Amino acid sequence: MDNITTGGSTTMQTSYRLNAKDLDHHFLESLKTLFQDKEIEIIVYDIDETAYLSRSEANQRRLLEAIENAENGTNLITVSLEGLE
């Protein structure tokens, strides 16, 4: 949680990153506890993990190579489900 002061007024700011399926009453209760009787603003947007990983040129090359390998069926790893038990 960050406290941001502008023009003599302090604002609390908190960021959460979670999967939409994890939103439940516990999450809402934690927001209510954290901000109590204050008015809050909730902004929701989806996160493109590919864009995040593509920021690095090396990661971008690896991703593009992995996509090409998957499309061509090359350099694939086979995993036995029996070995995972």
Side-chain angles (χ1 to χ4, degrees):
M1 176 171 38
D2 297 323
N3 288 324
I4 302 167
T5 303
T6 55
S9 176
T10 301
T11 303
M12 289 186 354
Q13 177 178 319
T14 303
S15 296
Y16 297 91
R17 184 172 180 173
L18 61 141
N19 192 297
K21 69 180 180 183
D22 297 327
L23 290 172
D24 59 12
H25 73 280
H26 296 292
F27 178 76
L28 292 176
E29 289 303 320
S30 70
L31 287 177
K32 288 179 182 180
T33 301
L34 184 61
F35 293 99
Q36 298 175 6
D37 63 344
K38 296 178 176 80
E39 184 174 335
I40 64 172
E41 177 180 8
I42 298 175
I43 300 171
V44 178
Y45 60 93
D46 64 337
I47 299 172
D48 182 353
E49 291 293 333
T50 306
Y52 170 75
L53 294 172
S54 295
R55 289 182 189 167
S56 157
E57 194 172 313
N59 280 350
Q60 187 175 23
R61 278 196 308 274
R62 286 188 204 117
L63 283 170
L64 292 174
E65 183 179 321
I67 292 168
E68 184 177 329
N69 285 337
E71 288 174 345
N72 295 330
T74 57
N75 298 319
L76 301 178
I77 298 173
T78 304
V79 177
S80 168
L81 293 179
E82 294 168 358
L84 297 176
E85 294 177 357

